[in-house]
Amino acid sequence: MAKLKGWKELPIGAVVLEPGSSAENKTGTWRSQRPVRDEEKCTHCMICWVYCPDSAVIVKDGKVQGFDYDYCKGCGICAHECPVKVEAHAITGKPGKVIQMVGEV
C-alpha cells in the first residue's frame, strides 16, 4: 500500500487538482458489506449496472461478470434493485434476490 500523504502535503482544502484521479484512488476499503451474485440465476438484466453509483459492476459482452471490489463501497443499491428472486442463493443459501449483501471478513 502506498504511503498516505500527511495534511501538510495535501492542497488547501484537499481539493483534487487533476481529473481522472478516481482511477488511482481505490475506495473499496470503505466497505463493510459486499455484494455477491448467484451467477447461474442472474438474468443479466443490467439493473444493477444502471443503479451502481460507482460503476463497480463489471459487464462484458452485455453480461454481468461480477463486481470491481476495488471501487465498490458496499452501498447495497445493486442488491436492493435486483429484480430477480431466488429460493436459495448459491453463495448465501438464503432466499431473496440474485444479488445479496454479505459482511466483509
Side-chain angles (χ1 to χ4, degrees), residues 22-31 34-35 52 54-58 66-74 104:
S22 62
E24 298 172 11
N25 299 312
K26 296 178 180 175
T27 54
T29 56
W30 301 356
R31 185 179 56 245
R34 63 184 167 92
C52 179
D54 295 310
S55 300
V57 178
I58 301 168
F67 302 98
D68 187 342
Y69 291 120
D70 285 338
Y71 298 100
C72 171
K73 296 183 185 87
E104 283 288 341

Side-chain angles (χ1 to χ4, degrees), residues 7-17:
W7 68 273
K8 291 181 180 179
E9 300 164 310
L10 294 172
I12 294 174
V15 174
V16 176
L17 301 174

